[in-house]
Amino acid sequence: MIEKLSDEARSAALSGLPDWTHDAERDAITRQFRFADFSEAFAFMTRAALLAEKMDHHPEWFNVYNKVEVTLITHDCDGLSERDVAMAKAMDGFA
């Protein structure tokens, strides 16, 4: 079973993800990525999709041209988990 982060663990994780915003209502994190063009945005999404398949943890996202809006939440625990933190860090690296 995947465990939801405690308040303390969530705060610590968010301090290491300065570009992500906590959505307290859903206990999720969100970020908007901007790229030079659609090709770069799509390449980012492809790298993230391959990792998501490996992790069996898939983001909620929306793409228009050079923007990709991402929401990460672990539905199995109805909130933020270590899986979301790991995915966010990887996405930051891909960008």
Side-chain angles (χ1 to χ4, degrees):
M1 182 78 178
I2 299 168
E3 291 189 33
K4 188 174 179 175
L5 292 178
S6 67
D7 291 344
E8 184 177 288
R10 183 186 317 101
S11 292
L14 291 174
S15 71
L17 298 169
D19 297 320
W20 291 81
T21 302
H22 182 238
D23 176 348
E25 186 173 313
R26 293 187 67 200
D27 192 23
I29 53 175
T30 62
R31 179 174 176 192
Q32 184 177 91
F33 294 89
R34 287 184 182 261
F35 300 93
D37 55 29
F38 178 73
S39 293
E40 284 190 21
F42 196 84
F44 166 80
M45 292 176 68
T46 300
R47 287 190 294 274
L50 292 171
L51 177 62
E53 278 298 298
K54 252 187 196 171
M55 292 177 66
D56 191 29
H57 186 58
H58 304 89
E60 297 175 10
W61 56 17
F62 179 76
N63 164 245
V64 174
Y65 183 58
N66 68 334
K67 292 181 274 187
V68 180
E69 296 174 17
V70 178
T71 299
L72 297 174
I73 185 171
T74 301
H75 296 103
D76 291 343
C77 70
D78 198 30
L80 203 60
S81 76
E82 283 297 329
R83 293 172 110 186
D84 302 301
V85 175
M87 179 66 78
K89 287 179 180 178
M91 289 177 133
D92 286 349
F94 296 154

